[in-house]
């Protein structure tokens, strides 16, 4: 079975500081992993995805994530937080037999001016 | 590109009535569409997967007779909540992809807020 765990339902960082949002996965097959962002009153938007190519994946808005098989992790980072990064972030793993997504519980990011 | 719309964006209905929610892919053909449910402060829970022209596949614990899904065309899927009750109140989100490949990106609609009185 596929699942993801996001540690920390709320993360606060100062503007300009490093953003680190954690995601650990459990999968019975090689996983395909995704990070989505949800701004208030909007649909989920893809940030980046890992599909077994490069382990360091670069996404939109300066975000990147590194797939670490030994740690079963896919943490999302951004070197310098911007006020516009405040949103809900979801990690997801793709199903084994199709692309059903199984989401983590989400992490709400607050950026302090 | 890759825009998914949902209609309505919010709906309030009386207990016992049925509500239909539409999900459309506006600029691409979606062979596979997904329906999720999101409770306040919680994650998205996959309810069902639908492929155009075939019956939907429901996740364990989801009542298929209560949540009717139709995917009649490559750009439209509908979710009908039948005989809705207050516990069905939730945020329903659809997504679409161009194939059922596990590496495919899913494009999400903005969601529909259902309140059952």
């Amino acid at each position: 079975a596929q699942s993801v765990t996001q540690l920390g339902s709320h993360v606060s960082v100062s503007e300009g500081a490093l953003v680190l949002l954690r995601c650990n996965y459990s999968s019975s097959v090689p996983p395909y992993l995704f990070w989505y962002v949800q701004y208030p009153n909007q649909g989920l938007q893809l940030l980046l995805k890992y599909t077994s190519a490069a382990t360091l994946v670069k996404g939109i808005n300066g975000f990147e994530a590194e797939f670490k098989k030994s740690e079963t992790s896919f943490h999302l980072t951004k070197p310098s937080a911007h006020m516009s990064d405040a949103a809900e972030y979801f990690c997801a793993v793709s199903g084994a037999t199709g692309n059903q997504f199984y989401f983590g519980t989400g992490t709400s990011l607050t950026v302090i001016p | 590109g890759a825009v998914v719309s949902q209609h309505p964006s919010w709906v309030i209905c009386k207990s016992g009535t049925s509500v239909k929610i539409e999900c459309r892919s506006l600029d691409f053909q979606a062979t596979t569409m997904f329906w999720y449910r999101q409770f306040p402060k919680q994650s998205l829970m996959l309810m069902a997967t639908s492929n155009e022209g075939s019956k939907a596949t429901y996740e364990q614990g989801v009542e298929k007779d209560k949540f009717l899904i139709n995917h009649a065309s490559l750009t439209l899927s509908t979710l009908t909540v039948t005989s809705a009750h207050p516990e069905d109140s939730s945020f329903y989100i659809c997504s679409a992809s161009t194939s059922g490949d596990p590496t495919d990106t899913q494009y999400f609609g903005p969601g529909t807020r259902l309140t059952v009185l």
Side-chain angles (χ1 to χ4, degrees), chain B residues 9-78:
Chain B
S9 55
W10 59 271
V11 57
I12 301 173
C13 69
K14 292 182 179 179
S15 185
T17 61
S18 295
V19 174
K20 180 185 283 188
I21 302 170
E22 292 186 349
C23 176
R24 294 182 184 271
S25 57
L26 299 184
D27 50 3
F28 66 101
Q29 292 188 327
T31 57
T32 308
M33 286 185 166
F34 305 86
W35 287 95
Y36 296 84
R37 186 172 177 176
Q38 185 179 28
F39 291 102
K41 307 296 184 184
Q42 295 187 31
S43 185
L44 285 77
M45 273 184 39
L46 179 64
M47 298 174 66
T49 302
S50 74
N51 292 295
E52 185 264 339
S54 56
K55 288 184 178 180
T57 303
Y58 290 81
E59 294 295 301
Q60 194 172 12
V62 177
E63 299 176 62
K64 60 182 178 182
D65 293 332
K66 181 166 189 62
F67 298 100
L68 300 179
I69 292 171
N70 184 279
H71 191 166
S73 78
L74 286 172
T75 59
L76 174 64
S77 176
T78 60

Side-chain angles (χ1 to χ4, degrees), chain A residues 1-4 26-29 93-96 102:
Chain A
Q2 279 71 17
S3 68
V4 291
S26 172
S27 177
S28 56
V29 296
V93 62
S94 183
Y102 299 98

Side-chain angles (χ1 to χ4, degrees), chain A residues 1-7 22-27 31-34 72 74 90-94 102-106, chain B residues 43:
Chain A
Q2 279 71 17
S3 68
V4 291
T5 302
Q6 290 182 244
L7 294 175
R22 300 177 186 274
C23 174
N24 288 87
Y25 70 89
S26 172
S27 177
Y32 301 116
L33 296 155
F34 302 76
T72 62
F74 189 58
F90 292 96
C91 181
V93 62
S94 183
Y102 299 98
F103 282 86
T105 50
Chain B
S43 185

